[in-house]
Amino acid sequence: MSTRPTDRTEVAARLAAAVGRINRRARTDSATLGYGIVSALATIQREGPLRPGDLSRIEVVTKPTMTRILTELEQRGFIEREADPRDGRAFMVTATPAGIEAVERARTTRTGIVAELIAELGESDVDAIAGALDALERVAQGEGTQEPHTS
């Protein structure tokens, strides 16, 4: 008895739709930071100090979009600019204590919302999600690592 190979296009379509719906449901009211802003701020916190161009590459957004994000983060007091020690014409951005707190608050809020979304699932569904997380995290990081083949 042979098994049909997994239709990766169907998996991709269902995954994209599910992740999109989960993200929309996990968003909170408009007074909070948007996903793109939180993502950029979290990257600055984790990888900083960073040049804006490097940040736009990591976040996979255009430079004008990153400029808008950095302007908002700076206006909120979540980042600081400092001269680039390698190039006096350029600058680097770092997260402020208020920025670090904002990232943690956003993560906690979103985690709570997603926890509520999965609270009613059965144990086998939660186990299935947990089992897929390593692969999903690799996809999210852009890693093409293949799983080991077992015979």
Side-chain angles (χ1 to χ4, degrees):
M1 186 174 189
S2 67
T3 59
R4 233 176 61 216
T6 302
D7 182 342
R8 290 176 184 252
T9 302
E10 180 184 346
V11 170
R14 291 179 63 196
L15 177 61
V19 168
R21 284 191 298 271
I22 292 168
N23 275 332
R24 283 189 296 279
R25 292 179 73 185
R27 287 185 190 139
T28 56
D29 65 55
S30 60
T32 61
L33 298 174
Y35 179 78
I37 291 172
V38 171
S39 180
L41 185 54
T43 298
I44 294 166
Q45 175 189 357
R46 185 180 60 252
E47 306 285 333
L50 288 169
R51 286 178 158 195
D54 294 335
L55 182 58
S56 67
R57 279 188 291 284
I58 293 168
E59 291 294 307
V60 193
V61 299
T62 64
K63 288 181 182 181
T65 296
M66 186 52 62
T67 298
R68 285 190 295 277
I69 289 171
L70 292 175
T71 297
E72 181 167 346
L73 289 171
E74 192 170 30
Q75 288 172 347
R76 290 176 180 245
F78 293 158
I79 63 167
E80 293 175 335
R81 295 176 188 232
E82 57 188 51
D84 183 336
R86 294 175 291 154
D87 181 353
R89 300 166 296 168
F91 67 93
M92 312 281 277
V93 293
T94 58
T96 64
I100 293 167
E101 183 180 321
V103 168
E104 294 307 319
R105 192 170 44 252
R107 282 182 182 146
T108 299
T109 299
R110 288 191 173 119
T111 297
I113 292 168
V114 174
E116 288 176 18
L117 293 174
I118 67 171
E120 300 300 318
L121 292 176
E123 200 64 33
S124 64
D125 284 339
V126 174
D127 288 345
I129 292 169
L133 288 175
D134 286 342
L136 290 170
E137 288 168 345
R138 283 192 303 275
V139 169
Q141 293 300 317
E143 298 172 9
T145 306
Q146 294 286 323
E147 66 183 343
H149 290 13
T150 57
S151 302

